[in-house]
Amino acid sequence: DLVLRPGARIDLFARAPAGARLHLAPGPDALVLTIAHDGVAERDLPIQDADIDLGIDADTPFRLRLAVPPGSGTVRLASLDLAGRAPRAVAPAPVRRRTSVLLYVADTLRADALGTYGYDRPTSPHIDALSRRGITFETTVAASSWTRPSTATLLTGLPPPEHGALTLRDPIRPGVARVAEAFRGAGFATGGFVTNVNVADQFGFGDGFDVYQYLPEDVARRGVHAPADDLHAAALAWLDQQHDGPVFLYLHATDTHAPYEPAPETAARFVPPGLTPTFGPDVSLRDIAAAIDRVTPDDVRTLRGRYDAEVADLDGAVGRLITALRKRGVWDDLVVIFVADHGEEFFEHGGLEHGATLYREVLHVPLIVRLPHDAGAGGRVTALSRHVDVAPTMLALAGVVPPTSLPGRILVDADGTPTSAPPLEAIAETYLGRHRLQALVTEREKVVIDGRDGSLRVYDLGANPGETTDRSIDHPILAGYARQTLDATKHTFAWAGGGVPGRAPALDPATAERLEALGYLNE
């Protein structure tokens, strides 16, 4: 029961389903019921009937206010529920045989660094060709703005507070089911090959894989990370040993992560000539970030040019991998999921790297689904998609029934047809270092809440895609809806400034050194 005493007032926020109706039991006379949504004045709702038509458009966030005037009697509600028509879902056609899957995660690759997402520099001819052979999702929101929580979402299908890999010390929570386990249980050979310490086996990422190989960072190596060609060679050697049955292969390439050290000949193509940066090539990105007030436009152009060159180097390696898979005769029947864990900042909001914010430059990531024999080739989906949608999509396309517990949606059928209504919103978060941020993203707006001071900002993505102007004063109902939604999903311990007590092991010196080399221990 819900009991409201005289003078009490409760605000409840929700997103309206189609044909939204409110059911009250009973409908007491003393209760004052009002509804409001952004841009429309608050209005009273009649409560003579226990079944109330809200008269509000589908998908609109609204505030329902329940109040009892002073001097009235106590109000007791036995039930209060919102009903409406659910969006029509299309069941995917069953895949009649097991199909091998390649999940390729490109670390730190922002979507707008690729030609297929509108970039005007020739960074990605091979990835663009993959896009033309597949279905490209134009509005994919990452689960986080740094590697461990985002990649854990890709490999579990769960949002960060549920899989638990939230902070630098947190592994995937023991007992959380992995996609690799579902593949292996269905008879797939499972192999994982990674080049980022954040997804090393010690953090629980190897569970479910027959073989899981981490190619460690080396500070003496140009670029620190094992290059994609070495990653691919290790994976292909494993693949050559798999003679029967389907495979699930997860590759994690970290070439585009700082420090930006592309091949010199590639750098010469992408770093504009004639620049006079404040910081020379031997100054680390960490030191540049520490002196952010001295960064000039030429510094940013230099860094972005070197990043673009790394994207081009990765793209070349992806092209060579596709050629190798073709030669082995496995390409035609392969499902390929190409996705990034997060993007990268280049001073769009006064910062560099990633993990510290939830702006578009770090959350908008590429997602390309290439189906066997190029089914659905050239398709482009503008509707919202999310990291949590990747796991059920991979399983379904491979002929494995996804667990019903997964919150994500199957994005496409085996012929490339979208199989369900797109999500209305995505949630992203970061608990890296001192940063505590959550974001609620729709196709039209973004709301960001800062856990350090409780501040909230609303961005109109249509009018202000660069996310520079706070419009929270114009969207009080959306702001309230976002606070209620995000408060219900955040992880209490991480939001308060730490990991989950008693669960996270101490970082060993070698791991700490590699994380420091990546800039993660400098927050």
Side-chain angles (χ1 to χ4, degrees), residues 254-417:
T254 319
D255 300 52
T256 49
H257 194 292
Y260 314 129
E261 295 291 346
E265 60 273 16
T266 318
R269 291 170 47 210
F270 287 94
V271 178
L275 299 179
T276 56
T278 303
F279 299 94
D282 295 331
V283 179
S284 71
L285 192 60
R286 180 193 319 166
D287 292 338
I288 295 174
I292 202 74
D293 58 329
R294 295 172 51 206
V295 172
T296 67
D298 275 5
D299 288 307
V300 176
R301 293 188 190 101
T302 300
L303 291 172
R304 183 59 197 263
R306 298 183 71 81
Y307 173 83
D308 287 348
E310 287 201 329
V311 175
D313 282 344
L314 173 65
D315 180 79
V318 168
R320 290 186 288 276
L321 173 64
I322 293 173
T323 297
L325 293 171
R326 287 187 184 280
K327 288 181 178 179
R328 285 164 170 80
V330 300
W331 176 257
D332 287 346
D333 292 322
L334 188 64
V335 172
V336 179
I337 310 288
F338 182 91
V339 65
D341 54 351
H342 57 78
E344 188 78 320
E345 293 189 56
F346 288 98
F347 224 61
E348 292 89 350
H349 292 88
L352 297 169
E353 298 189 275
H354 54 268
T357 72
L358 295 176
Y359 291 114
R360 177 183 176 87
E361 50 266 26
V362 290
L363 289 188
H364 183 211
V365 294
L367 173 59
I368 300 167
V369 178
R370 184 266 176 184
L371 299 172
H373 305 283
D374 295 349
R380 300 189 74 91
V381 178
T382 60
L384 198 67
S385 54
R386 309 160 298 177
H387 269 168
V388 291
D389 300 323
V390 171
T393 299
M394 287 193 299
L395 290 167
L397 292 175
V400 181
V401 178
T404 57
S405 58
L406 293 182
R409 302 176 181 221
I410 299 170
L411 293 171
V412 290
D413 209 334
D415 63 1
T417 303

Side-chain angles (χ1 to χ4, degrees), residues 17-44:
R21 305 187 72 84
L22 185 69
H23 299 151
L24 291 173
D29 292 338
L31 181 66
V32 176
L33 196 63
T34 60
I35 189 170
H37 57 96
D38 289 330
V40 176
E42 184 177 41
R43 58 185 171 86
D44 292 337

Side-chain angles (χ1 to χ4, degrees), residues 33-59:
L33 196 63
T34 60
I35 189 170
H37 57 96
D38 289 330
V40 176
E42 184 177 41
R43 58 185 171 86
D44 292 337
L45 287 174
I47 59 172
Q48 292 81 5
D49 191 348
D51 182 16
I52 305 169
D53 182 355
L54 294 185
I56 191 170
D57 292 339
D59 304 340

Side-chain angles (χ1 to χ4, degrees), residues 52-352:
I52 305 169
D53 182 355
L54 294 185
I56 191 170
D57 292 339
D59 304 340
T60 303
F62 67 92
R63 183 197 68 210
L64 190 69
R65 175 167 290 169
L66 294 79
V68 178
S72 300
T74 296
V75 171
R76 183 183 301 272
L77 290 176
S79 68
L80 173 70
D81 64 273
L82 179 67
R85 298 188 302 276
R88 186 176 69 91
V90 180
V95 177
R96 288 180 169 78
R97 64 186 182 89
R98 299 290 193 249
T99 304
S100 292
V101 174
L102 166 61
L103 171 63
Y104 197 107
V105 178
D107 203 298
T108 321
L109 180 59
R110 49 191 284 169
D112 63 7
L114 303 175
T116 190
Y117 285 88
Y119 201 34
D120 59 2
R121 306 192 81 188
T123 54
S124 55
H126 299 289
I127 298 171
D128 297 346
L130 180 68
S131 170
R132 292 190 294 272
R133 299 187 190 105
I135 300 97
T136 302
F137 293 83
E138 297 183 355
T139 317
T140 301
V141 179
S144 184
S145 57
W146 65 288
T147 297
R148 196 178 304 161
S150 277
T151 308
T153 291
L154 293 171
L155 292 177
T156 65
L158 299 175
E162 293 186 34
H163 63 57
L166 296 166
T167 77
L168 281 171
R169 298 181 184 277
D170 292 327
I172 298 175
R173 179 165 51 84
V176 168
R178 277 52 161 192
V179 172
E181 293 171 333
F183 276 115
R184 188 164 66 181
F188 285 65
T190 54
F193 299 85
V194 305
T195 55
N196 187 319
V197 67
N198 274 298
V199 294
D201 191 21
Q202 70 192 82
F203 296 114
F205 285 81
D207 291 7
F209 287 97
D210 300 323
V211 172
Y212 197 81
Q213 183 177 350
Y214 160 50
L215 283 66
E217 295 83 359
D218 183 349
V219 294
R221 179 193 292 125
R222 177 177 61 82
V224 177
H225 314 283
D229 282 325
D230 290 357
L231 173 74
H232 300 165
L236 290 169
W238 173 81
L239 189 62
D240 288 341
Q241 300 172 10
Q242 314 308 313
H243 303 298
D244 298 308
V247 303
F248 170 56
L249 176 59
Y250 157 49
L251 301 182
H252 194 117
T254 319
D255 300 52
T256 49
H257 194 292
Y260 314 129
E261 295 291 346
E265 60 273 16
T266 318
R269 291 170 47 210
F270 287 94
V271 178
L275 299 179
T276 56
T278 303
F279 299 94
D282 295 331
V283 179
S284 71
L285 192 60
R286 180 193 319 166
D287 292 338
I288 295 174
I292 202 74
D293 58 329
R294 295 172 51 206
V295 172
T296 67
D298 275 5
D299 288 307
V300 176
R301 293 188 190 101
T302 300
L303 291 172
R304 183 59 197 263
R306 298 183 71 81
Y307 173 83
D308 287 348
E310 287 201 329
V311 175
D313 282 344
L314 173 65
D315 180 79
V318 168
R320 290 186 288 276
L321 173 64
I322 293 173
T323 297
L325 293 171
R326 287 187 184 280
K327 288 181 178 179
R328 285 164 170 80
V330 300
W331 176 257
D332 287 346
D333 292 322
L334 188 64
V335 172
V336 179
I337 310 288
F338 182 91
V339 65
D341 54 351
H342 57 78
E344 188 78 320
E345 293 189 56
F346 288 98
F347 224 61
E348 292 89 350
H349 292 88
L352 297 169

